Amino acid sequence: MQTQQLAPGLYVLSGSPNIDPAHKDAAGGAVGLLIGPDGVLMVDAQYAPITDKVLGAIHRLTPQPVRFLVNTHVHLDHTGGDAAIVKTGALLLAREEVREEMALPLPSIAGDAAPPADPADCPW
């Protein structure tokens, strides 16, 4: 993960090579971080397979926990890691329209036998 500081306590994480050939820069979705004394506000969670890398990058910046995770929209390069982040104790938030869409069954592109959605993937 590449880390870019935009301002004190404000960061962007990017980069997930070989995860999504549809993104020419192989970056997937960017992750926004606002780090404060009480914890981390995270915007989007990237793909599920790289959650450990995302959390590792966050922990290199701060020992504070991710307290809030905000989803901008439902694409898997923004929401794939939601369940794993929520299971660390973060509260998942999104607009009502995003929540409704995330509660629907996975599209057929996820496979004919797509597993049911993890309850941790559904924002409040």
Side-chain angles (χ1 to χ4, degrees):
M1 297 300 301
Q2 297 176 350
T3 303
Q4 179 183 6
Q5 185 173 15
L6 303 177
L10 183 62
Y11 298 85
V12 171
L13 304 179
S14 61
S16 53
N18 304 316
I19 296 292
D20 184 359
H23 285 94
K24 293 186 187 219
D25 58 2
V31 174
L33 302 173
L34 179 60
I35 300 172
D38 295 326
V40 177
L41 171 86
M42 182 176 178
V43 178
D44 290 335
Q46 262 277 8
Y47 290 106
I50 63 166
T51 300
D52 289 341
K53 290 181 181 183
V54 171
L55 289 173
I58 293 169
H59 293 305
R60 283 190 291 280
L61 296 171
T62 180
Q64 298 291 338
V66 176
R67 302 277 311 268
F68 301 97
L69 170 57
V70 179
N71 284 152
T72 59
H73 63 286
V74 300
H75 293 164
L76 289 175
D77 60 327
H78 296 263
T79 63
D82 283 359
I85 302 295
V86 167
K87 289 174 183 173
T88 69
L91 177 62
L92 180 58
L93 304 168
R95 293 185 341 263
E96 185 63 29
E97 300 85 4
V98 173
R99 182 187 195 293
E100 289 170 1
E101 195 169 348
M102 290 178 74
L104 296 173
L106 293 173
S108 61
I109 193 168
D112 294 334
D118 187 326
D121 278 341
C122 203
W124 286 91

